[in-house]
Amino acid sequence: MRCLKPVGLALVLSLSGCKPDLTSPEYWEKRIEGAKSKKEKKAAIEALRAKHMSPAMLPMLNARLSAEKSADVKADLARVLGEAKSEASIEALTEAIVLTPADTDEKALDKEIANALGNIGSPKAAQTLVKLLGVKDNYTVLAAIDGLGDLKAKEGFEALNAIASDDTIETFITKKAIIALGNIGDPRAVPTLVKAMFKERKSVSFYLESSFALYQLGTPAADALLPVLDRSDAELYAWAEKNNVKDFALQAKSAQVLGDLMDMRAEKTLIAMLNPKTEFDDVRAILSGRAADALGRMRSKNAVKPMVALVTDPKTDASVVRECIYALVRVGNAEGVPALITFLGKSSNWDARDEIMRGITMLGTEKDVAAFDKATADEGKKTAEGCKGDDEGHPDCKNGPEAAATRHLARVKEHRARLEAAMECKGEAACWGKKLDDKSDAVRERAAAEVGRSNDAALAAELFRRLKEQNVDARLSIIQATNWLINDNADAMKAAKAIAADLEKQLRDEKGKTDFAKTNEDLRRLYVRILRG
């Protein structure tokens, strides 16, 4: 027998003994439509969403979205439709938009519609998302921007480019538009993104977002940045002067992106930039450091000698020494090791010695052990003298020379562990592969670099499964090594395709973790590199 249908549906069903069919769209339509208040309607929608949602409900929910009067209830319906991810709901969601929202509920509805369309993930939603960019509500605009970026929808380019170029818009919306332009990957965005690298508004920089977006664009971005690096882009330099952007900032930031892209066309200009013509020490340090970093990422063998010369020059800023050491390690050319060992024995600055020891032990072989030991034999004495002289204000000296000496000697031992591993492995990639599990952070750091340079695709999986390494320096080395291996070996690149989803999840899970904020910028680029193929 047919169940009765008066007001108080649940009570009647209970008294009659007729159990409702919770899989039936008709049941939920009657329950939502027959609710006495907005609160009851929202509760019914949530009950459906929580346990009983199925594709069979979509036609009913689409119709309810059109028929419902309350914007608050419509927002709940839009949320459920977004989670269902069906193209069949795009038309109903589009019709429910309030282009000129008059209150908070209508703004919330527009935001939920934008989120729903983004969740559906269909290219058919792109035009509606573009329309939502015009709604006078920041949260709706942000959701629409995210949706267009996730869809990689070129239909959104003009509107997003306009937002990214508009200096009157809230900075967090500008950042989102820049990110979306990078995800969409339309080369027409390059001029906007290049300028965004150098802009600051309300003390907010857009460099992080725009430099990554340019990396995503690849070769078109490099084509635009090469004339910025060599100062031949007269139009951009004129713009920079008008907007109070320092010319050295143009070169430094361009160098960074070109290094990330490993574009060897920039090599000659970058080598010259190691010794920039400027009377300002701070500018020299910035330009030299950025040039060294870029050349290291490119693995430029031509840059080894000039970088060793910088490291062994007592006048070189400590920050530049650090960048040059990291760069020399990335290049992987050991020809500069003897000069580094010689200078190590002469240097009176602990921070410089620490970095030089890292460089020697990341590159040296068993042949360098004796010379390294000789150069570090007086470390305790040097530290004590430093704490009474030039290094007196060094943080390590605050507990006295003896405590500082103890710490520095322990650090020497940490560095030396890399050379001990090199004596054991003697250049054999398989041996270094086993060292990826070594108890020493320093040894794991070198092992990753050696595996990355091995061009052995059989070891690719060993790197892949260690990309969650907890030591920051070792993790950075593993990321770089993976990048080298997939760049040099087609089989390794093919194998890397299988870990793309894992990398995406790792980046999502670790978002906001300050310990890995810097290294995971390289991890993001590795992920893009793998997708690019």
Side-chain angles (χ1 to χ4, degrees):
M1 293 177 62
R2 181 177 298 176
C3 292
L4 300 176
K5 181 188 165 185
V7 177
L9 178 65
L11 176 62
V12 172
L13 289 173
S14 176
L15 293 173
S16 68
C18 182
K19 293 183 179 180
D21 181 3
L22 299 182
T23 66
S24 165
E26 290 77 16
Y27 167 79
W28 290 102
E29 181 177 21
K30 291 172 184 176
R31 181 168 169 181
I32 296 169
E33 186 178 8
K36 293 181 179 180
S37 66
K38 182 171 73 173
K39 183 177 179 181
E40 286 185 7
K41 285 188 177 185
K42 290 170 69 67
I45 294 168
E46 179 56 30
L48 169 59
R49 172 182 174 271
K51 293 184 178 181
H52 304 289
M53 184 59 191
S54 70
M57 303 292 178
L58 286 173
M60 179 272 293
L61 289 173
N62 290 335
R64 287 301 324 153
L65 183 63
S66 299
E68 185 57 53
K69 301 300 181 184
S70 165
D72 192 17
V73 175
K74 279 177 174 279
D76 284 4
L77 289 166
R79 187 179 301 113
V80 175
L81 291 173
E83 292 172 354
K85 299 182 179 182
S86 170
E87 287 185 349
S89 298
I90 293 176
E91 183 178 351
L93 288 164
T94 301
E95 291 176 354
I97 292 171
V98 182
L99 288 176
T100 54
D103 57 31
T104 303
D105 284 350
E106 290 184 345
K107 289 178 180 180
L109 169 59
D110 284 341
K111 185 195 76 170
E112 289 300 340
I113 291 172
N115 284 330
L117 292 168
N119 288 336
I120 289 171
S122 168
K124 295 178 181 179
Q127 291 296 348
T128 302
L129 287 167
V130 172
K131 182 187 296 186
L132 284 163
L133 292 175
V135 171
K136 300 298 182 183
D137 174 61
N138 286 342
Y139 294 109
T140 299
V141 171
L142 289 170
I145 290 173
D146 285 344
L148 288 166
D150 292 343
L151 285 173
K152 302 184 184 344
K154 290 189 181 294
E155 296 93 328
F157 167 75
E158 287 83 1
L160 291 170
N161 195 57
I163 292 172
S165 305
D166 189 341
D167 291 339
T168 67
I169 287 177
E170 291 290 344
T171 54
F172 61 90
I173 294 179
T174 301
K175 284 176 176 279
K176 284 286 191 177
I178 290 170
I179 292 169
L181 287 172
N183 290 337
I184 290 170
D186 191 320
R188 292 177 294 168
V190 168
T192 296
L193 296 173
V194 168
K195 287 183 178 178
M197 281 209 299
F198 312 112
K199 286 182 179 180
E200 282 193 16
R201 283 193 281 120
K202 301 177 183 179
S203 299
V204 174
S205 169
F206 307 101
Y207 173 70
L208 192 66
E209 295 80 14
S210 53
S211 61
F212 183 69
L214 287 166
Y215 180 80
Q216 289 174 291
L217 286 161
T219 300
D223 293 342
L225 290 172
L226 286 167
V228 180
L229 183 71
D230 66 20
R231 302 178 65 92
S232 64
D233 189 340
E235 183 179 343
L236 186 67
Y237 275 83
W239 170 86
E241 183 176 6
K242 183 178 178 181
N243 289 273
N244 197 31
V245 176
K246 303 299 183 184
D247 55 358
F248 68 84
L250 298 182
Q251 288 186 290
K253 292 180 178 181
S254 298
Q256 185 80 56
V257 179
L258 288 164
D260 287 337
L261 290 168
M262 301 172 69
D263 196 309
M264 295 305 293
R265 292 177 294 172
E267 183 185 40
K268 184 177 179 181
T269 303
L270 288 168
I271 289 175
M273 207 169 99
L274 288 169
N275 292 284
K277 296 178 181 178
T278 175
E279 59 188 52
F280 301 105
D281 291 342
D282 56 344
V283 173
R284 181 180 295 106
I286 290 170
L287 291 176
S288 297
R290 293 306 88 212
D293 179 76
L295 289 162
R297 291 176 185 277
M298 293 176 181
R299 294 188 284 172
S300 167
K301 293 181 180 179
N302 293 323
V304 170
K305 287 183 178 179
M307 286 195 292
V308 170
L310 273 178
V311 172
T312 56
D313 184 345
K315 297 179 182 178
T316 302
D317 187 269
S319 66
V320 178
V321 171
R322 177 179 175 82
E323 293 291 1
C324 285
I325 292 296
Y326 269 93
L328 288 168
V329 170
R330 286 177 176 133
V331 175
N333 189 315
E335 68 177 83
V337 169
L340 293 178
I341 291 176
T342 300
F343 185 68
L344 176 62
K346 298 177 181 178
S347 176
S348 61
N349 179 274
W350 162 250
D351 288 334
R353 290 199 305 277
D354 189 30
E355 292 298 340
I356 293 167
M357 282 189 278
R358 178 182 177 276
I360 292 168
T361 58
M362 282 291 288
L363 294 168
T365 67
E366 66 273 12
K367 298 177 183 178
D368 301 305
V369 175
F372 177 82
D373 288 343
K374 182 178 179 180
T376 57
D378 295 330
E379 184 53 54
K381 181 180 177 181
K382 282 186 176 181
T383 296
E385 291 174 350
C387 285
K388 297 175 183 178
D390 293 341
D391 283 348
E392 183 177 1
H394 195 283
D396 288 354
C397 298
K398 66 180 180 180
N399 293 322
E402 290 185 6
T406 299
R407 182 185 182 283
H408 290 185
L409 287 169
R411 185 72 172 151
V412 171
K413 187 177 179 180
E414 289 175 26
H415 287 305
R416 194 181 189 279
R418 299 189 187 99
L419 289 179
E420 294 171 6
M423 283 192 289
E424 181 182 342
C425 286
K426 295 182 174 59
E428 295 179 6
C431 175
W432 282 114
K434 294 177 182 177
K435 294 292 183 186
L436 289 169
D437 286 326
D438 197 272
K439 65 180 180 180
S440 164
D441 298 337
V443 171
R444 295 199 305 278
E445 182 184 12
R446 172 150 187 186
E450 295 292 343
V451 171
R453 286 192 285 263
S454 71
N455 198 26
D456 187 347
L459 292 173
E462 296 300 313
L463 287 174
F464 298 164
R465 70 186 183 89
R466 290 171 175 83
L467 284 166
K468 291 184 180 179
E469 161 73 49
Q470 294 302 294
N471 177 266
V472 173
D473 290 332
R475 176 183 283 214
L476 180 59
S477 186
I478 291 167
I479 293 169
Q480 291 169 344
T482 303
N483 205 355
W484 299 339
L485 192 57
I486 65 174
N487 186 72
D488 297 344
N489 191 297
D491 289 335
M493 173 59 87
K494 288 179 183 176
K497 294 291 185 182
I499 67 164
D502 293 335
L503 281 184
E504 183 180 23
K505 183 178 185 303
Q506 181 178 342
L507 287 165
R508 187 169 59 250
D509 291 345
E510 293 182 346
K511 188 175 182 179
K513 291 187 177 181
T514 55
D515 290 349
F516 301 125
K518 187 174 181 180
T519 55
N520 278 7
E521 281 302 306
D522 282 343
L523 188 65
R524 290 174 73 202
R525 284 158 175 76
L526 174 62
Y527 172 64
V528 172
R529 178 76 180 85
I530 290 171
L531 293 182
R532 188 180 292 152

